Amino acid sequence: MATEVDTMEVPQNNNGPWEGPDPAATAKLFECSRIKALADERDAVQKKTFTKWVNAHLARASCRVGDLYADLRDGYVLTRLLEVLSGEQLPKPTRGRMRIHSLENVDKALQFLKEQRVHLENVGSHDIVDGNHRLTLGLIWTIILRFQIQVIKIKTEDNRETRSAKDALLLWCQMKTAGYPEVNIQNFTTSWRDGLAFNALIHKHRPDLIDFHKLTKSNATYNLQQAFNTAEQQLGLSKLLDPEDVNMEDPDEKSIITYVVSFYHYFSKMKALAVEGKRIGKVLDQAMEIEAIIERYEALAAELLAWVQHTVTIISNQKFANSLTGVQQQLQAFTAFCTLEKPVKFQEKGNLEVLLFTIQSKLRATNRKLYVPSEGKSISDINKAWSCLEKAEHEREVSLRNELIRQEKLELLAQRFDHKAAMRETWLNENQRLVSQDNFGYDLPAVEAAMKKHEAIEADISSYQERIQVVVELALEMESEGYYDTKRISAQKDNILRQWGLLTELVRARRARLEQNLALQKIFQEMVYMIDWMEEMQVLLVSKDLGKHLLEVEDLLQKHGLLEADISAQTERVQALNAAALKFSELEGYQPCDPQIICNRVNHVQTCLEELGEMAAKRRKELEDSRQLWAFFQEMEEAEAWIREKEQILAAKTCGRDLSSVLTLTTKHKSMLGELGSRRALLHQTMKRGEQILAKKRFSPGGIQEKIREVRLRWKKLEEVTGLHQQRLQEALNFFQFSAETDDLVAWLQDTYRIVSSDDFGHDDYSTQALLRKHRAVVEEVEKHRAAVVALRKQLALLAPEHRQGVDVQIRVVEVEQLYGEVAEVAVLRQQWLQDALAVYRMFSEVHACEVWVDEKEQWLERMEVPEELDEVEVVQHRFESLDQEMNSVMGRILDVNQVVQQLVEGGHPSSEEVRACQDHLNSRWNRVVELVEHKKGQLSSVLKIQNYLLECAEMKAQVREKRKAIEATQSGGGDLGGVLALQRRLSTMEAALVVLEPRLVELQREGEALAADHPGRAMEVLLPFEEISEEWEALKRALQGCEDSLSVAGRLQQFIQDLDNFLGWLVKTQAAVANEEVPGSLAEAERLLNQHAALKEEINGYEEDYTKIQAASDLLVLEEAEVPYLSLQQWLQKLDAGWGKLLQSWEARREVLVQAHVFHLFLRDVKQCEASLYNQESTLAHAELPDTVEAVTNAIKKHRDFSTSMELGLHKVQLALQAGESLQRQGNLYSARVAEAMDSLRTKSHRNAELAQEWMQRLQDHLELQQFLQDCHELEGWVGEKVAMAQDPAPEQRPHKRWLQHQAFMAELAQNREWLQRIEEEGQQLLQAKPALAGAVAPQLAAVRQRWQELESAAQARGQRLRAAGAAERLQRGYAELDQRLARLEEQLRAAGGPSPAPPSAPSSEGCR
C-alpha cells in the first residue's frame, strides 16, 4: 500500500483560471496526503524502534548505529548484527569505502540469510547500499522474525495445539495477562495503547516491581511510561518505544511486536533460571545428605582402623611368660579375643562396606563423581589393615604354641651337647697328631699319592666340620634360648673351636708344602713333554717339499703358519714353565728341590726352543720364495691370455663407414688404450718380480726368462697392432672432417706449422719438459681444430651448385686438408722426439745414482773378512740383512732403467747405441756386486753352522757326564728302605731324562757328519767332540743298568707298604665315620644319615677286594724273604684283621640305630599332620555361630554332617598313627617314651573334637526345632494380621447382604484355622517340656500369638454386629420404599376415579427410621 502511495501521481487541474476546483479531486488528494503522512509516521516509529533494537544487540559487539539507513549501507554493521544473533562466524567483510565493497559485504549478509532459509522478496544488495528506507526496514523486520519471533512455540491450555511465531507470542501474552482486569489482548496494535498490558506482563512475573491495582485505563501515558521505565531500570530491557509511539490511534504493529518479544525472551530466561535454581537446591540437599553419610563413614572407618592398629600392636608383642602356666593363660586370653571381640569388629567392617556402597549408589544416581575415601580409609586400606590383623593373629598363635614346645627342648639339647662335645675333643686330639708328620716322596707319583692321602685327611676333617658345627649350633641355641648353665656350655664350645682352628691351620700348612712339591714335579713333567714335542716339530721342519704349483705352495704355507702358531703358543707355555720353575729356586724357607737342578733343566728347554724357532724361520723363507715363483708364472699366463683376447678384438675391427661409426670406434679404442696402459703397469710389475726371482738364483732361470721373453714379444706385437688400428681410425676421422672457415684455418695452420717444425729439443731434463708441455698445448689446439677441418666437406655439400662446383673452392679445400695433415704429422713426430729426449735425460740421471751406490758397496765387500768368533759372525749377519733391503730397492731402480732403455731402442732413438752401452755397463757392475754378496753370505753361513754345532756338543757332553756322576753317587747310598725308595725315584727321573737326550745324540751325529762332508778341512775338529760324547753315553748306560737290577724286590716291598698304609688310613677314617653317634633331629636328617650309612656300606664292599690283595701280598713277601721285620709285619696284619671285623660290627649297630630313628620320625610326621588336622577342626568348631533362619540352620546341619564325614576320615588317619605308635612300642624302639607322649596327646585331642562335634550337632538340631516353631508362629501372625485388616475394613460399596455372606465365609475360615493355633500351642508346650532352656524364646512367642488371635476374634465379632445392624436398616428402608409405591398406585387410582387427592403422608424422621 505504501508503494502505491509513493507512485501515485497527483492529477493535473485542467480547468481554466476562472473555473473553481473539482470537489471530488480535492477529496481524493486529501486522502492520498493523509495516507502518505500516516505511512511516514509509521516508518519513523519503526526506524526508531529498530535502531534501538539493533543497538541493544550490537552492544555485545562494542558497536552501534546512529542512522539506521546510512550505517547499514556499507554492510559491515549488518554482518556484525547477524553474527551476534546467530552465534556463527560470517565471511570477513571487505575493507573499503567504494560502492563495490559495500555491495560485496551486503551480498555476504544476504547470502547468509538465504542459507538460514530466510525468504527475501525484492530485496537486493543495491537497495541496502542505496539506503532504500522501506526495504531496509523490511530487511530488519525479516531478521527480527527469523531470530526473535520464529523460535517461539507455545501450546494451548488444553495441549491440543502448538502455535509458533506471532500467534505463539500473542497466545503467550493472553495466557500471562489472563485474570487481569481491563486487560484483553487481541492484537499487537490497539490492545497495548492504554499500557495496562505491558504492566500486567511485568506484574505477572515480578509483582514486587509494580502495584497493578493502582493503575487506571484512562491514564495511558503514565501507564506506558511506568512500564517502559520499569522494564529498562529493573529488568535491563532497552526502551525501544516511547509512550507517544503507542498511545496513538493506530500503533505500529511491528514495533510493538519487537518490544514484546524482548519481554518474552527475558521472562522465559527468568523462568528457566528459577527451574534451574530449584534443581540446584534439590541437588544441594542430596549433596548435604551424602556429605553426612560420608562423614559418618569417615568416623567409623577411623574408629575401626584405630582399633585394628591398637590390637595389632598388642598381639604383635612377642614377649611371653617364662613358664608353661603363663603361656597357657596367654593362649586362653588370645582365644577369647578371637571368639568374642573380633567377630563384633568384623560385623562393623561389613557395615562400613554397606555404607560405602550406599554412598556410591547415591552418587551414581545423581551422575556425580564417585566418592574416593580419604587416604588410608578406603575399603582396600581397611581390608589391608584387617589382613595385617589376621596375620598378626596367626603369628601370635604360632608363637604361643612354639613357646610351649621350646621349654621342653632345652634339657634334651643340654644332654646331647655334653655327649657330642666329649666325642669331638677326643677326635680333634688324634687328628692333630696325625697331620704333624711330613712324608711326601721325591717324584711326581709319590707326591701325588701323598696329596691324595692328604686330601683324604682333609675330606675327613671337612666332613667332620658339620659335626663341630652341630655342637656349636647346640651351644648357640641353648644360649639364645636362655639356658641356665650357659657359661659352662660356652667355655666347652670355645675349647672345641680353638682345637678345631689349630687342626685346620696344621692341615692348611701341610697342604701348602704338598702343593709346592706337586707343582714343581708337574713342571718337570711338562718340560719333558715339551722337549718331546720340539723334537717332533723339527722332523716336520726339515722337509724339502716346496710345492709344485701355487695352490700347493699356499697350502704348505698355511700349514706352516699353523706350525708357527703352535710354536708361538708353545713358546709362551715354555716361558711360563721356565718362569714357574725359577720361582721355586728363589723360595725362602721351605724348598721342595735343589735350585741348581731347576736352573739346569730350564736352560736345556730354552736351548731346544731357540733351535726350533730358527728352523721354522728358514722353512718359511723357502716356502715364500716358492710362492713368489709360482705366482709369477700364473700372472704371466693371465697376461698372455689377455693379450690374445685383445689381438682377436683388434683383428675383427674395421675403420667405420661414416663419421658416427668412426667416432664410436675412436671412443672404444681410447678406452682400450686406457686399459692397455693399466695392464702395462701390471705387466711391468710382474716382470720386475720375475727378474727379482732370477736375481735371487734360487730356481732355474731358463723357464722364467723364456716366459718373460715370450710375453714381451706378444706385448710388443699388441702395441704395434694397436698403433696401426689407431692410425687407421685417425685417417678415417680426418677424411670425414672438414672446416668451413677456410681463411682463418689456413692462417692458423701456417703459424702452427712453423711452431711444430722447430729443431729445438732442449739441452737438459728441465728444458725438455718445458718444451714438451708447450708442444702438448699446441697438439691440443690442433686436435680442437680437427672438427673444423672435417666439417669443410659438409659445408661444401651444403653450398649452392654454382659455388660448390667452383674450381677455386675445391682447390682451397684440398690445400687446407693437405696443410692440416702436414701439421698433424709433424706435431706427432715432434712429440715423440721430445719424449725420447726426456727419457734419455732421466735414464742418464738414474744410471749415475745407481753407479754411485754400486761403487760404495763394492769397496765395502772387498775390504770385509769373515770372522771366526760367534758374536762377530752375528754382527756381520745383521749388516747383511740390512744390505738385502737396500739391494732390493736398488734392483727396482735398475729394472726401471733397463725398461726405459728397451723402450728407447725399440722406438729407434738416434742415441740407441750410447744408451745400450750405458745399460750394459750398469748391469755388469750390478751382477758383480750380487756375486760378491752371495759369496760372503756363503762363508758366513758355514762359520755359523760349525760354531753352533760345537756349542751343542759341549752342552751335551756336560749333561751326560753330570747324569753319570749322579747315578754313581746314588749307588753309594744306604741299603735301608728309605735309600731304596730314593734310588728308585732318582732312577725313574734319570730314565726319563735319557729318553729325551737320545734323539738329540742322533741328531748331533747326523749334523756332524754333514758338516764334515761339507768342510773336509775341518772334519777332525767337527767329529772329535761327538766321539767324546759317545764314550760318556756308554759309561752312563752301564751305570744305569747296574742300579736297575737292585730295585725289583724293593719295588714290590714299597708297593705293599704303600697299599697297607692307604688301606689303614681308609680303615681309620671309615671307623670314625661309622662310630658317629649323631642323632637325627628330623625326618630329612634321618633319611640323609641313612643314605650316608648305605654309601659307607658300598665303600666297604669296594675295599673288601683291596683287603684280600694285601693278605696275598704279605704271604708273597714272606716267601721272597724281603728285608722287612717279620714281627712288625705280623703285628700290622693282626691290627688290620681286628679293625676290619670291628668296622663291620660297628656298621651293623649304627644301621639299627638309624633305622629306628627314621621310623620314629616317620611316626612323628604322621602325628604332626593329624594334630594340624585336629587343630583345624577345633578352630572350626570354636568359631561356629547359630544361624537365625530355618533355611540357614538346615544348611548349617548339612555342612556339619559333611564336616563330621571329614572328621571320620581324619579319625582313620589318627587310628593309623596310633597303630604305628603301638607297633613301635612293641618293637622296643629307642624313642618309646616320646612315642607314648605323642599317642596320649593325639588321643586326647581326637576325643575332645568328637565331643565338641556331637555337642554342636545337638545344638543345631534344637535350634532347628526352635526356628521351625518361630517360623510357624510368624506365618500364623501374618495370616492373623491380614484377617484383622479384613475385619476392620467396612467395604461400604458392597451391599449388606453380600458383605454378610463374606463374613460368614470369614468366620468359617477362622474356625477351620483354629486347629493351626492349637497345633502351634502344642508344639510350644512340647518344646518347653523337652528343652526348658528355650523358654525365653518360646513362651513370649506363644503369648503374642494368643493375643493376636484374641484380637482377630474380637474384630470378627464386632464386624458381625455391624453387618447385622446394616441388614436390619436395609430391610426397613426396603419396607418404606414398598409402602411409597403402594401409596402412589392408590393416588393414581383415585385421580382416575375423580375423587380428591389424598394428602401425602409425612415422611418419617431419621429417628424413626433408626
Side-chain angles (χ1 to χ4, degrees):
M1 185 66 185
T3 304
E4 293 176 357
V5 171
D6 291 339
T7 57
M8 185 178 295
E9 296 179 359
V10 179
Q12 300 292 330
N13 188 5
N14 296 324
N15 295 328
W18 296 277
E19 293 180 0
D22 189 1
T26 302
K28 190 171 183 180
L29 180 61
F30 175 78
E31 183 180 358
C32 290
S33 300
R34 177 62 179 168
I35 291 173
K36 189 173 188 310
L38 291 174
D40 292 339
E41 184 180 359
R42 185 167 58 249
D43 290 346
V45 173
Q46 287 185 7
K47 177 184 178 183
K48 181 176 67 173
T49 304
F50 291 171
T51 300
K52 292 180 179 180
W53 179 84
V54 168
N55 286 330
H57 288 284
L58 287 178
R60 288 183 286 173
S62 300
C63 182
R64 65 179 288 108
V65 297
D67 187 350
L68 186 65
Y69 304 142
D71 292 342
L72 294 183
R73 293 175 65 180
D74 59 357
Y76 176 77
V77 175
L78 183 61
T79 302
R80 298 301 300 274
L81 177 63
L82 292 176
E83 287 179 347
V84 171
L85 293 174
S86 64
E88 298 181 12
Q89 189 71 27
L90 271 69
K92 189 175 181 181
T94 304
R95 289 294 181 181
R97 298 182 178 275
M98 298 176 65
R99 178 181 174 84
I100 186 65
H101 297 147
S102 301
L103 290 172
E104 184 177 356
N105 293 337
V106 175
D107 274 332
K108 292 177 181 179
L110 297 180
Q111 183 63 32
F112 173 75
L113 290 173
K114 291 178 181 178
E115 292 174 357
Q116 298 295 323
R117 298 183 180 179
V118 177
H119 178 65
L120 298 175
E121 185 175 359
N122 298 327
V123 178
S125 58
H126 58 280
D127 297 320
I128 307 302
V129 173
D130 293 340
N132 190 314
H133 297 181
R134 298 294 176 82
L135 294 180
T136 301
L137 294 174
L139 176 61
I140 298 300
W141 173 246
T142 303
I143 293 173
I144 293 172
L145 283 176
R146 170 61 181 85
F147 294 102
Q148 295 283 297
I149 302 174
Q150 189 175 342
V151 297
I152 302 174
K153 292 184 178 180
I154 301 295
K155 288 186 177 181
T156 58
E157 293 181 354
D158 54 3
N159 291 330
R160 294 181 179 179
E161 182 181 357
T162 300
R163 297 181 183 180
S164 60
K166 179 180 175 182
D167 296 338
L169 183 62
L170 182 62
L171 178 61
W172 177 77
C173 294
Q174 293 172 351
M175 293 170 62
K176 296 300 179 182
T177 57
Y180 282 88
E182 298 181 355
V183 177
N184 184 15
I185 301 174
Q186 298 298 326
N187 52 42
F188 286 104
T189 55
T190 57
S191 298
W192 302 83
R193 284 190 302 183
D194 54 7
L196 294 178
F198 287 106
N199 286 279
L201 283 177
I202 297 173
H203 185 268
K204 179 66 176 179
H205 296 89
R206 293 290 302 275
D208 57 316
L209 299 179
I210 293 177
D211 188 1
F212 185 81
H213 301 289
K214 293 182 179 180
L215 300 177
T216 59
K217 188 176 180 66
S218 60
N219 197 358
T221 302
Y222 173 79
N223 297 340
L224 291 170
Q225 189 66 39
Q226 183 182 8
F228 295 164
N229 292 336
T230 303
E232 183 179 18
Q233 297 170 5
Q234 302 296 329
L235 304 182
L237 298 177
S238 298
K239 190 176 180 181
L240 303 183
L241 297 174
D242 293 324
E244 58 271 17
D245 297 332
V246 181
N247 189 12
M248 56 189 306
E249 183 179 354
D250 188 12
D252 181 56
E253 182 183 32
K254 295 179 181 178
S255 300
I256 294 177
I257 290 176
T258 303
Y259 195 30
V260 173
V261 162
S262 62
F263 282 89
Y264 169 79
H265 285 294
Y266 176 82
F267 292 133
S268 296
K269 184 177 181 181
M270 188 178 72
K271 180 181 179 181
L273 291 174
V275 173
E276 185 175 356
K278 292 180 180 179
R279 293 177 180 174
I280 292 173
K282 184 178 180 181
V283 170
L284 288 175
D285 293 340
Q286 293 176 350
M288 292 175 64
E289 180 184 359
I290 294 173
E291 286 298 328
I293 301 176
I294 290 173
E295 290 177 0
R296 181 184 173 198
Y297 170 83
E298 293 281 345
L300 292 176
E303 181 182 353
L304 179 61
L305 288 171
W307 176 84
V308 169
Q309 185 176 5
H310 177 68
T311 306
V312 169
T313 304
I314 292 175
I315 66 176
S316 297
N317 185 8
Q318 299 296 328
K319 294 182 180 179
F320 305 112
N322 198 12
S323 64
L324 182 61
T325 305
V327 173
Q328 288 176 346
Q329 291 176 355
Q330 289 178 339
L331 183 62
Q332 290 175 0
F334 178 73
T335 305
F337 159 77
C338 294
T339 55
L340 299 176
E341 184 178 0
K342 182 183 173 185
V344 176
K345 295 298 180 179
F346 184 78
Q347 186 175 4
E348 292 181 4
K349 175 175 168 289
N351 294 337
L352 271 178
E353 294 178 357
V354 174
L355 193 60
L356 180 61
F357 177 77
T358 303
I359 294 171
Q360 306 294 29
S361 300
K362 290 181 177 293
L363 290 174
R364 287 193 188 93
T366 57
N367 291 325
R368 291 176 59 190
K369 183 179 179 181
L370 294 181
Y371 163 65
V372 178
S374 58
E375 185 176 359
K377 295 182 180 179
S378 63
I379 295 299
S380 60
D381 295 328
I382 295 172
N383 289 333
K384 288 179 182 178
W386 194 266
S387 300
C388 295
L389 174 64
E390 291 182 342
K391 182 179 179 181
E393 176 187 349
H394 175 71
E395 292 175 354
R396 176 73 171 178
E397 182 179 1
V398 172
S399 300
L400 284 170
R401 295 188 181 277
N402 291 337
E403 182 64 20
L404 288 173
I405 299 170
R406 188 181 70 86
Q407 297 292 338
E408 299 174 355
K409 287 184 177 180
L410 285 177
E411 192 62 34
L412 181 61
L413 288 175
Q415 296 175 4
R416 289 180 60 192
F417 176 80
D418 292 337
H419 176 69
K420 290 182 181 294
M423 293 178 61
R424 303 304 177 259
E425 289 175 348
T426 304
W427 181 87
L428 288 170
N429 293 328
E430 292 177 357
N431 280 275
Q432 287 175 7
R433 180 179 53 79
L434 178 63
V435 299
S436 300
Q437 304 172 0
D438 282 354
N439 47 356
F440 302 148
Y442 299 97
D443 57 355
L444 183 61
V447 176
E448 287 179 344
M451 177 60 78
K452 289 181 180 178
K453 183 177 179 181
H454 183 78
E455 288 175 351
I457 295 172
E458 282 185 334
D460 186 20
I461 293 173
S462 177
S463 64
Y464 212 82
Q465 184 177 4
E466 295 181 359
R467 303 178 186 181
I468 299 294
Q469 189 64 30
V470 168
V471 174
V472 174
E473 288 175 356
L474 286 174
L476 292 175
E477 184 176 358
M478 285 187 288
E479 290 176 4
S480 63
E481 295 291 339
Y483 185 61
Y484 71 95
D485 200 6
T486 54
K487 291 184 179 180
R488 179 183 65 80
I489 299 295
S490 179
Q492 198 168 1
K493 177 198 71 173
D494 294 339
N495 182 37
I496 292 172
L497 289 177
R498 185 170 56 256
Q499 291 185 2
W500 173 257
L502 178 60
L503 177 61
T504 54
E505 188 63 30
L506 290 173
V507 172
R508 192 179 303 108
R510 189 173 189 270
R511 183 174 184 85
R513 296 193 296 274
L514 259 175
E515 287 176 348
Q516 289 182 359
N517 279 273
L518 182 61
L520 181 60
Q521 294 300 328
K522 287 183 178 179
I523 290 172
F524 286 165
Q525 189 67 33
E526 287 291 328
M527 287 181 174
V528 173
Y529 292 155
M530 291 304 303
I531 292 172
D532 294 340
W533 174 81
M534 285 188 281
E535 290 176 355
E536 293 173 1
M537 296 300 293
Q538 287 176 358
V539 174
L540 296 175
L541 292 174
V542 298
S543 175
K544 299 300 181 181
D545 184 14
L546 300 179
K548 298 178 181 179
H549 49 78
L550 183 60
L551 292 178
E552 186 176 356
V553 175
E554 293 286 352
D555 184 61
L556 290 174
L557 270 172
Q558 187 176 5
K559 292 180 180 177
H560 187 73
L562 295 175
L563 289 177
E564 287 181 332
D566 195 5
I567 291 172
S568 177
Q570 296 299 334
T571 300
E572 295 177 359
R573 184 180 175 189
V574 169
Q575 297 298 337
L577 285 174
N578 291 342
L582 290 175
K583 287 180 181 178
F584 285 99
S585 66
E586 300 170 357
L587 292 175
E588 296 180 0
Y590 178 80
Q591 290 186 346
C593 183
D594 186 8
Q596 186 61 38
I597 296 175
I598 296 173
C599 294
N600 293 338
R601 295 195 180 190
V602 169
N603 294 333
H604 175 60
V605 173
Q606 186 66 31
T607 303
C608 294
L609 181 64
E610 291 173 356
E611 292 176 0
L612 185 63
E614 293 173 358
M615 295 178 68
K618 181 180 177 182
R619 173 68 174 170
R620 170 166 284 283
K621 184 169 180 58
E622 292 174 353
L623 287 173
E624 287 178 349
D625 292 340
S626 178
R627 178 175 64 181
Q628 188 176 9
L629 175 64
W630 290 110
F632 166 76
F633 279 121
Q634 183 173 349
E635 291 175 358
M636 295 300 284
E637 289 174 359
E638 292 176 356
E640 282 185 329
W642 185 85
I643 291 171
R644 286 194 297 270
E645 178 184 0
K646 297 304 177 183
E647 286 177 351
Q648 293 174 1
I649 293 173
L650 291 172
K653 286 186 176 179
T654 62
C655 294
R657 291 175 292 181
D658 53 11
L659 181 60
S660 60
S661 61
V662 171
L663 291 175
T664 303
L665 291 174
T666 303
T667 304
K668 292 182 179 179
H669 190 69
K670 286 181 180 179
S671 64
M672 192 185 77
L673 288 177
E675 186 179 358
L676 193 65
S678 61
R679 180 62 70 169
R680 183 187 294 112
L682 294 175
L683 184 60
H684 173 69
Q685 294 177 2
T686 304
M687 290 183 177
K688 184 177 178 181
R689 287 196 292 273
E691 290 173 355
Q692 290 176 357
I693 295 172
L694 287 174
K696 292 181 180 179
K697 295 183 179 180
R698 291 186 179 273
F699 304 96
S700 176
I704 299 174
Q705 292 177 351
E706 183 66 23
K707 179 61 71 175
I708 292 175
R709 190 181 302 109
E710 180 181 356
V711 172
R712 281 178 176 170
L713 290 174
R714 280 188 170 276
W715 184 261
K716 182 177 180 182
K717 183 179 178 182
L718 176 62
E719 288 181 341
E720 292 174 355
V721 173
T722 305
L724 291 174
H725 187 69
Q726 184 177 6
Q727 185 177 359
R728 290 197 301 271
L729 286 174
Q730 187 65 38
E731 290 172 356
L733 188 61
N734 293 335
F735 177 78
F736 289 109
Q737 291 181 346
F738 299 96
S739 175
E741 300 173 351
T742 306
D743 296 333
D744 295 337
L745 188 57
V746 168
W748 180 83
L749 286 174
Q750 289 174 354
D751 294 337
T752 305
Y753 185 81
R754 284 193 298 272
I755 294 172
V756 299
S757 60
S758 175
D759 296 331
D760 184 13
F761 298 106
H763 57 277
D764 57 7
D765 187 5
Y766 179 78
S767 60
T768 305
Q769 284 184 355
L771 291 173
L772 185 59
R773 285 195 297 272
K774 292 180 181 180
H775 185 72
R776 285 173 180 167
V778 172
V779 171
E780 290 176 359
E781 289 295 326
V782 172
E783 287 298 322
K784 288 179 180 178
H785 285 80
R786 185 184 301 275
V789 175
V790 173
L792 287 177
R793 287 294 180 185
K794 292 184 178 179
Q795 293 177 5
L796 181 62
L798 295 174
L799 294 175
E802 60 271 20
H803 297 291
R804 184 175 63 248
Q805 295 174 2
V807 176
D808 295 336
V809 174
Q810 296 290 340
I811 293 172
R812 192 64 172 168
V813 169
V814 172
E815 288 176 355
V816 170
E817 291 177 349
Q818 290 176 355
L819 184 57
Y820 183 82
E822 292 174 0
V823 170
E825 291 174 359
V826 173
V828 171
L829 290 175
R830 179 171 175 78
Q831 183 175 5
Q832 184 65 38
W833 293 337
L834 287 171
Q835 290 176 350
D836 293 343
L838 182 61
V840 170
Y841 289 136
R842 289 180 176 176
M843 187 269 294
F844 284 149
S845 177
E846 191 71 16
V847 167
H848 177 70
C850 292
E851 286 182 347
V852 169
W853 184 86
V854 169
D855 290 336
E856 180 185 353
K857 298 306 175 185
E858 278 181 350
Q859 294 174 7
W860 177 74
L861 289 171
E862 288 173 355
R863 290 195 306 268
M864 189 195 72
E865 293 181 359
V866 178
E868 294 295 334
E869 297 296 330
L870 183 60
D871 296 335
E872 296 178 355
V873 169
E874 291 178 351
V875 172
V876 174
Q877 189 176 12
H878 286 306
R879 294 189 64 185
F880 268 100
E881 290 176 356
S882 62
L883 178 62
D884 288 340
Q885 297 177 358
E886 294 180 11
M887 289 181 68
N888 290 333
S889 176
V890 174
M891 185 174 63
R893 298 171 66 182
I894 293 175
L895 291 174
D896 293 337
V897 170
N898 289 332
Q899 185 177 4
V900 172
V901 171
Q902 185 70 22
Q903 292 176 356
L904 292 174
V905 172
E906 290 176 357
H909 196 272
S911 303
S912 298
E913 295 298 330
E914 182 182 358
V915 170
R916 175 69 74 180
C918 184
Q919 177 193 15
D920 294 338
H921 181 264
L922 178 62
N923 289 338
S924 64
R925 296 198 65 184
W926 173 257
N927 292 333
R928 186 171 179 278
V929 169
V930 171
E931 290 174 359
L932 281 173
V933 170
E934 293 298 327
H935 177 67
K936 295 295 182 180
K937 283 185 176 180
Q939 293 179 358
L940 194 65
S941 177
S942 299
V943 172
L944 188 62
K945 286 182 179 178
I946 292 173
Q947 292 297 329
N948 289 333
Y949 172 76
L950 293 177
L951 182 62
E952 289 181 4
C953 288
E955 292 176 355
M956 178 61 73
K957 182 179 178 181
Q959 289 182 10
V960 173
R961 182 178 294 155
E962 180 184 356
K963 295 185 183 303
R964 180 175 59 80
K965 290 180 179 180
I967 292 174
E968 291 173 355
T970 302
Q971 289 178 351
S972 63
D976 57 345
L977 181 59
V980 172
L981 295 176
L983 177 61
Q984 185 179 12
R985 287 192 295 271
R986 292 179 182 178
L987 287 179
S988 62
T989 306
M990 191 65 66
E991 287 174 354
L994 294 180
V995 171
V996 176
L997 290 176
E998 191 170 5
R1000 285 189 62 197
L1001 285 173
V1002 177
E1003 184 65 27
L1004 280 176
Q1005 183 180 4
R1006 286 200 297 266
E1007 187 176 355
E1009 292 173 355
L1011 289 174
D1014 293 338
H1015 306 86
R1018 304 181 67 176
M1020 291 301 297
E1021 182 184 358
V1022 171
L1023 296 177
L1024 184 60
F1026 187 79
E1027 293 296 332
E1028 295 175 355
I1029 294 173
S1030 300
E1031 292 175 0
E1032 290 289 342
W1033 181 259
E1034 293 298 329
L1036 176 63
K1037 283 187 175 181
R1038 288 193 299 272
L1040 186 64
Q1041 185 64 37
C1043 291
E1044 287 177 353
D1045 296 336
S1046 62
L1047 291 176
S1048 59
V1049 176
R1052 287 194 292 274
L1053 177 61
Q1054 180 187 4
Q1055 184 65 38
F1056 170 77
I1057 293 173
Q1058 183 176 0
D1059 293 343
L1060 181 60
D1061 185 42
N1062 292 336
F1063 190 86
L1064 287 174
W1066 170 84
L1067 187 61
V1068 171
K1069 181 187 71 173
T1070 309
Q1071 285 178 349
V1074 172
N1076 182 18
E1077 296 181 2
E1078 182 180 2
V1079 179
S1082 62
L1083 179 60
E1085 190 175 357
E1087 290 176 350
R1088 179 180 63 80
L1089 292 176
L1090 265 178
N1091 293 333
Q1092 290 180 359
H1093 201 64
L1096 280 177
K1097 181 61 176 176
E1098 293 177 1
E1099 186 178 358
I1100 291 170
N1101 293 336
Y1103 272 84
E1104 187 174 2
E1105 184 178 358
D1106 295 342
Y1107 174 75
T1108 306
K1109 288 181 180 180
I1110 289 173
Q1111 295 287 349
S1114 65
D1115 297 338
L1116 182 61
L1117 287 174
V1118 172
L1119 293 175
E1120 289 182 349
E1121 299 180 355
E1123 294 181 3
V1124 60
Y1126 179 76
L1127 182 60
S1128 176
L1129 181 63
Q1130 288 298 113
Q1131 290 175 354
W1132 280 107
L1133 291 175
Q1134 289 175 2
K1135 291 181 179 179
L1136 181 65
D1137 294 337
W1140 181 260
K1142 183 179 178 182
L1143 175 64
L1144 296 177
Q1145 293 175 1
S1146 300
W1147 186 88
E1148 290 293 339
R1150 176 65 175 168
R1151 176 182 171 277
E1152 182 64 23
V1153 171
L1154 290 177
V1155 167
Q1156 291 187 13
H1158 183 253
V1159 174
F1160 168 70
H1161 283 292
L1162 287 173
F1163 166 75
L1164 284 184
R1165 183 193 63 185
D1166 297 338
V1167 169
K1168 288 180 180 178
Q1169 292 177 355
C1170 294
E1171 286 179 347
S1173 176
L1174 292 172
Y1175 174 76
N1176 292 333
Q1177 294 172 6
E1178 181 181 357
S1179 177
T1180 302
L1181 292 171
H1183 293 82
E1185 296 179 356
L1186 290 172
D1188 53 0
T1189 62
V1190 175
E1191 183 178 0
V1193 175
T1194 304
N1195 293 333
I1197 291 173
K1198 183 178 180 181
K1199 290 180 181 179
H1200 188 70
R1201 287 172 180 169
D1202 296 338
F1203 177 75
S1204 300
T1205 303
S1206 64
M1207 285 184 64
E1208 291 175 1
L1209 295 176
L1211 182 61
H1212 178 66
K1213 292 181 180 179
V1214 171
Q1215 291 174 354
L1216 291 176
L1218 294 175
Q1219 291 175 4
E1222 293 171 356
S1223 175
L1224 289 177
Q1225 288 179 335
R1226 287 195 303 272
Q1227 294 173 3
N1229 193 280
L1230 296 174
Y1231 306 89
S1232 298
R1234 293 179 62 184
V1235 170
E1237 292 177 1
M1239 291 172 61
D1240 294 338
S1241 175
L1242 196 61
R1243 286 194 188 96
T1244 302
K1245 291 181 180 179
S1246 177
H1247 292 325
R1248 184 170 67 251
N1249 285 355
E1251 291 172 359
L1252 288 174
Q1254 266 185 341
E1255 180 182 354
W1256 181 249
M1257 188 65 182
Q1258 185 62 40
R1259 288 182 63 189
L1260 284 176
Q1261 290 175 350
D1262 296 343
H1263 196 63
L1264 178 61
E1265 294 178 1
L1266 174 62
Q1267 291 299 327
Q1268 288 175 347
F1269 168 76
L1270 294 176
Q1271 183 177 2
D1272 292 340
C1273 291
H1274 291 325
E1275 290 177 356
L1276 180 59
E1277 285 180 352
W1279 180 83
V1280 169
E1282 293 176 359
K1283 298 306 177 183
V1284 168
M1286 291 176 61
Q1288 293 176 354
D1289 184 15
E1293 66 276 7
Q1294 294 182 355
R1295 295 179 61 188
H1297 178 67
K1298 188 174 183 181
R1299 282 185 288 167
W1300 176 253
L1301 293 178
Q1302 290 177 354
H1303 178 70
Q1304 289 179 345
F1306 173 78
M1307 294 301 293
E1309 183 180 1
L1310 191 64
Q1312 185 178 1
N1313 285 326
R1314 185 179 294 275
E1315 297 176 0
W1316 189 3
L1317 175 63
Q1318 294 174 356
R1319 186 176 73 251
I1320 289 175
E1321 289 179 345
E1322 291 174 359
E1323 290 176 357
Q1325 294 299 329
Q1326 291 175 0
L1327 280 176
L1328 291 174
Q1329 294 175 2
K1331 300 176 179 64
L1334 301 179
V1338 174
Q1341 192 66 35
L1342 282 174
V1345 169
R1346 291 193 189 100
Q1347 183 180 358
R1348 293 290 290 170
W1349 186 267
Q1350 292 174 1
E1351 292 175 357
L1352 176 61
E1353 289 181 340
S1354 299
Q1357 292 174 1
R1359 185 187 183 197
Q1361 293 176 0
R1362 289 197 303 272
L1363 289 176
R1364 282 193 292 272
E1370 182 183 2
R1371 287 193 296 273
L1372 180 60
Q1373 186 176 3
R1374 192 166 49 247
Y1376 278 117
E1378 291 176 355
L1379 181 59
D1380 288 338
Q1381 291 176 0
R1382 291 176 62 186
L1383 289 174
R1385 285 197 297 273
L1386 288 173
E1387 285 178 353
E1388 290 176 358
Q1389 291 175 2
L1390 289 173
R1391 284 195 198 97
S1397 168
S1402 60
S1405 64
S1406 60
E1407 295 294 333
C1409 291
R1410 282 193 296 273

